[in-house]
Amino acid sequence: MFTFDDNKERENADTKEGIMSLDLGLNKIFQKFDTLSVGNGKNIAFFKNLARSFLRRRCEWCIGIYVCQSLFNFDSPDGINNPVLTAKDITDVPALFVADPFMVCDRNKWYMFFEVLNGRDNKGDIGLATSDDGLKWHYQQIVLDEAFHLSYPYVFKGDDGYYMIPETYEANSVRLYKAVNFPNQWSFVKTLLEGSDYVDSSIFYCNEMWWMFTTSFKGNILRLYYATDLIGNWIEHPKSPVIQENLNIARPGGRVVVNDGKIFRYTQDVEDFYGNQVRVFEITELTHTTYQEVAVTNNPIIKASGRGWNKIGMHNIDPHQTENGQWLACVDGYRIVFVFGFGERYNFIWRY
């Protein structure tokens, strides 16, 4: 169980109230058309569709970099203008937003993988950006594109190279990919789980075992699986689901961190609206038969700033400890955008 102080409760309430007020105003515009007499027939339908085409509401997701010394107090570093990646940085597809960042450091160079929502088919692809210092990033290209939606590209290092488990809920499975030519070329290896709408699957290695959290599209239930071998047989934990009917803490929200004998899992709070904030839990007991966790006292670990690129909310974090002991994390956040006009050429964008 966890609690918030009065100031945090007020901040969350103000954010939610702002979104509700904004949506209410937009809905009133649409409702004016919905309540027009149906007797006008096709003309009314035409003008209703015209209005909806002219005014469109969109979530503008971007990617930022946060730092901290203790793993629990992340903030934007001095000298960096967040966000470090936006849809405007994508050069090979018409991107609507970028989100769900995960990164690795290989031979002193940073590689970040993230969802790119492709405007051509409104489907997620996996993009790549690189950095020499983890602070300033340069977009490279789309590295993974499937016939179904891709997001949450959870990248990690195995014994024989780099692997990735992107979210593939439209394929009703958890699919494992391996880099055949890191970081640009990835090949499908095996379906680890199938038969359900697995979302935001998060994998980690601990106590000589592989473990994986995953949820459903609704995000109110957290399941736990384990395997002795990455491409072997995955077994559902006897305590799974470890979280049930809880939109505050069930949906994974970033990399599971194993550090100094402790395990921390990040979780999205998706109650009231999607992309609210992220909390962190310490897993205090993890065996083949038992599972226990406790919320850390610093929750939420990241949340809406109330202004700028992450004004409305944040929902993903991937922390890494650098050589000097500092923690570096890629995060995402969003604000509301209203697009006025017909077609990209005549669009006017108002950022809320």
Side-chain angles (χ1 to χ4, degrees), residues 271-291:
E271 188 174 33
D272 295 332
F273 62 94
Y274 177 73
N276 186 355
Q277 56 191 2
V278 174
R279 294 187 174 94
V280 59
F281 284 76
E282 180 183 352
I283 300 172
T284 56
E285 187 175 348
L286 180 63
T287 70
H288 295 97
T289 58
T290 62
Y291 180 88

Side-chain angles (χ1 to χ4, degrees), residues 44 65 70 86-87 107 185 194 209 256 259 271 278 298 310:
I44 295 300
I65 292 293
S70 64
T86 73
R107 287 170 286 188
Q185 296 181 343
E194 60 182 340
M209 294 286 297
V256 179
N259 180 255
E271 188 174 33
V278 174
N298 301 65
N310 58 348

Side-chain angles (χ1 to χ4, degrees), residues 122-149:
N122 204 38
K123 178 173 64 68
D125 302 328
I126 303 304
L128 166 70
T130 59
S131 173
D132 292 328
D133 58 6
L135 300 175
K136 298 178 182 178
W137 291 85
H138 305 281
Y139 177 73
Q140 301 299 320
Q141 65 183 82
I142 298 295
V143 295
L144 188 59
D145 181 12
E146 294 281 19
F148 40 82
H149 179 80

